[in-house]
Amino acid sequence: MHVVYPAVLAALLFSIGVYGVLARRNAILVLMSVELMLNAVNLNLVAFDVWLADKLGSGQILTLFVIVIAAAEVGLGLAIVLQVFRNRSTISIDALDELAEDKQ
Amino acid sequence: MTAPLAVLGTAISAAGAIVLAFLGAFETRVTLTPTGTIPVTIGLRADDLSTMVAVMVTLVALAIQVYSVGYMKHDVRYPAFAALVGLFTLAMLTVVLAADLLMLYVGWEIMGVCSYFLIGHHWEKPHATAAAIKSFLMTRFGDVGFLFGIFVLGVAAGSFRITDVIAAVPAMTSGTVLTGALLLLVGVVGKAAQFPLHSWLPDAMAGPAPVSALIHAATMVAAGAYVVALLYPVFLSAPLALDVLAVVAVISMIGAALAALVTDDLKRVLAYSTISQLSVMFAALAVGGRTQAIAHLLSHAAFKALLFLCSGAVIIAVGSNLMTRMGGLRRRMPLSFLTMTVGFAALAGIPPTAGFFSKDAVVASAEHHWFVFVALLLTVGLTAAYTTRAWLRTFFGSGPDVREAPKLMTVPLVLLAVVALLLGFAGLWFDELRPELLSAVLSVVLAGVGVAAVYLVWRRDPAKDPVDSLGRLRGVFGSAFGTDTLYERTIARGVMRVADEVVRVDDSVVGRTVRGTGRGTRSLGGLLRRAQNGNAQFYVTALLAGVVVIAVGVVILR
C-alpha cells in the first residue's frame, strides 16, 4: 500500500478535527475533535514508521505515548467540563467569555 | 565634628601645597579615554607660578575655615558650608595645578557652581537666591566664551595640554590666536567680574562674609587673572586682545572705584574694590607686567581676605552691613580695628604694606603706556579716598555699643594682618618688584591726596557721610553707572521675550506631539482591544489563520 492513502486519510481526519475545534460550541465535542486530530497524528506516525522501515519502531512507540497522553487528557478534560457544567449549567464555549476585555 | 575635619583637611592641603612649592617644576599626566581626535589628559602641572598661587589659595582657605568655625557657630547649615568651601578650594586648586586646559575648565566650572551654592547660603532670603542666580548666569555667560577659546586653541595646537598649547602658539595664524585669546577673555571677564560682566560681584555679598573672602581673595575672581598669566604667551602674540584687556581694565578700575566711593554697604565697598584691584592686575598684564600682576594677586589675596574677614567680624557685632549703623568701633573692637587698619592701608597702597609694593610695581610697569598709567594713578587716588571713607565711617565718630569678636575669629585676622603687612618685603628679591622712585612717589602722593581730601571733608562733620557733597553724582556712581538697569531694559527684556516664545513653541509643537503620540497609541490599542472578546475559539481561529498566512508567505516569498 502506498503511503499516500494513509497520509490523505490522516489529513482528512486532522482537518475534520480542526474544524470541530474551531466550529463546535459543545465543549465535549471540542474534546472529541482534539482526539480526532491526535488520531490523525497517530495514523501518520504508524504509516511513516512502516514506510521508512524504521528498525527501532520509534513511530509506533510515539503512538503509544500519544495514546496515553490523549487518555489522560480526556480524563482531565471531562472532569473540567463537568465542573464547568456544575458551576454554570452550560458547556457552550461561546458563553464562557469571562476573560473578555470590558465592553466600553 | 565637622569643624575639626574641615580645618584639618584644608591644613593638609596647605601643607601639600607648600611641599609642592619646594619640589620644583614638574608635570605628570595620564591620557583619559581615547577620544579619537585630540587626546584629553589628566595631569598635575607645577611650576613657580602655579605652586605659589596654590600655597596662597590653601593658606587663605585655611584662614577662612578657621574663621568660619567662629563665624558660623550658630548656623545649622555649617557642615554644608564647610564642605562647599572645601570643594571650592579643591576646584581652584584644579584650575591652578591642571596640566590640561579641559581639566582646568572642569575646576573653573565647579567653582562656578560652588559660588552659586555659597552665595545662596541663606536661601530663605529672596535677595540671596537672586544674587546666587545672577552670579551663576553672568559667569556662565562668560564661560561659554572661555570654553570655545579652549577649543580654538586646543584644536589649533592639536593638544589640550597647556605646555603643548603654549609651545604651539608661534606656529598658529594670528587670526586663530586672536580668536582664542578674545574668547578666553570673555570667560576671564565674567569670572573676574570686569566690565561689562561686573554686576554680579557686588550682589554676591548676600553670602556670608567668609564666602566673600574666599571668592574675592583666593579663588574665583583670582582665577581669571591667573589664567591670563598662565596662558600669557597666547595673549602676547595677540596684541589686540591685550589692548581690549587694557580698555576693559581701565573702565573697570575707575568705574568700580567710583562706585566703591559712594556705596554705604561695607561689604559692597569691598566688592567694588575687588573689581577695581583685579583691573589693576589686568592692567599690569595688558602692559606686559606678568610678575607684577601675580605679585598684586598674592598681596591682594592677603589683604582682601583680611578685609572681608574683618568686615564679617564688624558686621556680626553690629548686626548690619550699613556703615551708617557703624562708627566708633575703634575702642570697642580694638583688635578688629587694628587688623582692618592694616588691611585698609594695604588696599590704599600705604607703605610699607604689601599692597604698596605690589601696586607700585604695577604702576611702574605701566610707565611706558600713558593710557593705563594715568588710569592707574587715578585709581590709586580713588582707592585711597574710598578706603579712608570706609575706615573713618566704620571705626571713628560715634556708634553702637558692641563687643570684640571671639578668639577663633581674631586669630586668623591677626595672622592675615601680619602677612598683609610683611608680604611686600618678599618682593624685594625680584628685580621687577622693587619700588621705582618716580612711580612710588607719584602713587604715595596721590594716595595721600585721596586720604586727605576725604579726611578734610569728614572732619567738618563726622556724623555725615563725606560723599554727601557729591550730590546727584552719588546715585549714578552708586548704581555702578546704571549698568544693571541698562541690562534689565535691554538684554533681560529681550531674553524674557525669547523665553516666552520658546515656552509657547514647546507647548504647541513639542508638547502637542508628545500628547498626540499618547492619544494615538491609545486609540490604536482600542481598535485592537475589540479582537479580545474572550472566545477561545476565536483566538484559535486567528492563530490558525496566522499560521496559514505565514506558511503561505514563506512558501511564496522563499
Side-chain angles (χ1 to χ4, degrees):
Chain A
M1 190 166 65
H2 199 274
V3 79
V4 81
Y5 299 111
V8 168
L9 182 59
L12 284 175
L13 272 176
F14 193 83
S15 305
I16 293 168
V18 168
Y19 172 78
V21 168
L22 297 185
R24 282 297 174 174
R25 301 279 185 267
N26 190 319
I28 293 178
L29 288 178
V30 170
L31 274 178
M32 286 167 67
S33 304
V34 171
E35 293 304 306
L36 272 182
M37 286 156 74
L38 288 171
N39 280 325
V41 170
N42 282 345
L43 191 55
N44 261 349
L45 283 168
V46 171
F48 278 95
D49 179 87
V50 172
W51 175 255
L52 297 170
D54 185 4
K55 288 210 179 66
L56 290 172
S58 48
Q60 300 185 28
I61 295 167
L62 277 175
T63 307
L64 286 174
F65 273 107
V66 173
I67 289 170
V68 172
I69 302 277
E73 179 229 308
V74 168
L76 279 175
L78 282 177
I80 292 170
V81 170
L82 261 171
Q83 280 299 324
V84 170
F85 184 74
R86 278 193 193 157
N87 282 330
R88 302 172 195 263
S89 42
T90 173
I91 51 168
S92 170
I93 284 181
D94 277 5
L96 305 173
D97 58 356
E98 263 74 32
L99 290 178
E101 186 81 12
D102 288 338
K103 306 280 185 299
Q104 289 187 340
Chain B
M1 195 53 210
T2 323
L5 263 181
V7 172
L8 189 69
T10 320
I12 290 172
S13 68
I18 291 169
V19 169
L20 207 59
F22 283 107
L23 281 182
F26 70 91
E27 182 172 339
T28 60
R29 65 202 195 102
V30 221
T31 308
L32 205 63
T33 45
T35 53
T37 53
I38 304 170
V40 178
T41 55
I42 302 185
L44 185 72
R45 181 180 159 286
D47 58 12
D48 291 347
L49 171 67
S50 57
T51 49
M52 206 149 58
V53 176
V55 170
M56 176 275 276
V57 169
T58 47
L59 286 182
V60 172
L62 181 61
I64 287 165
Q65 286 280 20
V66 173
Y67 177 92
S68 306
V69 178
Y71 187 85
M72 310 286 282
K73 202 164 47 190
H74 304 296
D75 195 321
V76 285
R77 288 202 290 272
Y78 170 72
F81 174 84
L84 279 170
V85 168
L87 183 63
F88 208 139
T89 316
L90 175 77
M92 181 63 182
L93 285 177
T94 311
V95 168
V96 171
L97 296 172
D100 189 279
L101 280 178
L102 284 180
M103 195 176 146
L104 186 153
Y105 185 73
V106 170
W108 186 268
E109 286 301 317
I110 296 176
M111 275 202 288
V113 79
C114 284
S115 76
Y116 168 74
F117 286 130
L118 285 174
I119 293 167
H121 179 77
H122 300 298
W123 42 254
E124 62 278 352
K125 295 178 189 160
H127 76 274
T129 39
I133 291 169
K134 186 172 178 184
S135 84
F136 191 75
L137 288 181
M138 287 192 102
T139 55
R140 205 50 17 106
F141 180 76
D143 290 348
V144 176
F146 192 76
L147 183 59
F148 277 88
I150 289 177
F151 287 156
V152 167
L153 291 177
V155 170
S159 165
F160 287 116
R161 233 178 108 202
I162 291 168
T163 36
D164 288 350
V165 169
I166 290 173
V169 164
M172 292 181 201
T173 60
S174 60
T176 315
V177 180
L178 182 64
T179 318
L182 284 178
L183 284 172
L184 284 182
L185 268 191
V186 176
V188 166
V189 161
K191 270 280 195 281
Q194 298 292 293
F195 176 83
L197 296 177
H198 57 275
S199 63
W200 66 269
L201 195 62
D203 287 16
M205 295 300 103
V211 171
S212 312
L214 187 68
I215 294 178
H216 288 249
T219 56
M220 201 150 152
V221 296
Y226 173 77
V227 165
V228 177
L230 180 72
L231 297 172
Y232 206 45
V234 176
F235 291 91
L236 280 182
S237 21
L240 186 62
L242 282 185
D243 291 344
V244 171
L245 185 62
V247 172
V248 167
V250 165
I251 296 175
S252 308
M253 77 170 89
I254 297 175
L258 286 175
L261 189 61
V262 298
T263 311
D264 193 41
D265 183 324
L266 180 60
K267 276 173 80 187
R268 281 179 87 95
V269 171
L270 295 178
Y272 278 121
S273 101
T274 302
I275 300 178
S276 178
Q277 294 302 305
L278 280 164
S279 314
V280 170
M281 295 169 212
F282 287 122
L285 288 165
V287 297
R290 180 171 177 266
T291 320
Q292 291 88 335
I294 293 301
H296 197 55
L297 178 72
L298 296 178
S299 75
H300 176 257
F303 69 72
K304 193 47 70 67
L306 170 65
L307 281 172
F308 267 112
L309 296 185
C310 286
S311 76
V314 168
I315 285 166
I316 218 166
V318 176
S320 166
N321 284 7
L322 299 181
M323 290 194 284
T324 30
R325 303 270 178 80
M326 298 174 189
L329 299 181
R330 184 184 37 173
R331 290 182 203 293
R332 300 194 179 91
M333 305 180 71
L335 208 55
S336 300
F337 167 65
L338 208 64
T339 49
M340 202 162 185
T341 304
V342 172
F344 273 140
L347 176 59
I350 309 290
T353 55
F356 164 73
F357 285 99
S358 59
K359 190 186 285 181
D360 182 60
V362 171
V363 175
S365 74
E367 264 171 3
H368 58 276
H369 200 298
W370 67 267
F371 178 56
V372 176
F373 186 62
V374 170
L376 274 171
L377 289 177
L378 190 60
T379 309
V380 168
L382 285 172
T383 309
Y386 70 70
T387 307
T388 313
R389 167 175 172 263
W391 185 61
L392 290 172
R393 296 202 66 207
T394 312
F395 292 110
F396 292 85
S398 58
D401 188 19
V402 292
R403 295 229 319 271
E404 179 63 279
K407 204 166 187 186
L408 209 53
M409 287 161 72
T410 49
V411 169
L413 294 186
V414 172
L415 291 178
L416 280 171
V418 171
V419 174
L421 197 60
L422 300 179
L423 186 66
F425 293 104
L428 297 180
W429 268 282
F430 301 92
D431 279 339
E432 297 99 321
L433 302 181
R434 284 197 200 108
E436 269 182 45
L437 193 62
L438 171 72
S439 59
V441 169
L442 260 179
S443 48
V444 169
V445 166
L446 279 168
V449 168
V451 173
V454 172
Y455 178 71
L456 290 177
V457 177
W458 177 79
R459 207 180 52 172
R460 258 186 282 158
D461 185 0
K464 258 177 67 181
D465 190 343
V467 294
D468 278 347
S469 46
L470 282 176
R472 274 184 55 205
L473 272 179
R474 188 181 173 159
V476 179
F477 293 166
S479 62
F481 302 90
T483 37
D484 263 354
T485 332
L486 183 72
Y487 291 160
E488 216 149 278
R489 291 224 181 110
T490 55
I491 299 168
R493 217 170 270 177
V495 169
M496 288 303 269
R497 208 168 293 156
V498 173
D500 283 344
E501 194 65 17
V502 168
V503 167
R504 206 180 57 72
V505 169
D506 180 62
D507 187 57
S508 65
V509 177
V510 181
R512 197 169 288 171
T513 315
V514 173
R515 286 194 296 271
T517 318
R519 232 174 270 144
T521 315
R522 280 177 71 93
S523 53
L524 208 64
L527 278 179
L528 288 178
R529 199 157 47 213
R530 298 233 175 105
Q532 200 192 357
N533 58 7
N535 186 337
Q537 277 180 323
F538 175 75
Y539 299 160
V540 179
T541 313
L543 187 74
L544 186 74
V547 169
V548 169
V549 166
I550 290 171
V552 169
V554 167
V555 168
I556 291 173
L557 299 174
R558 191 171 45 159

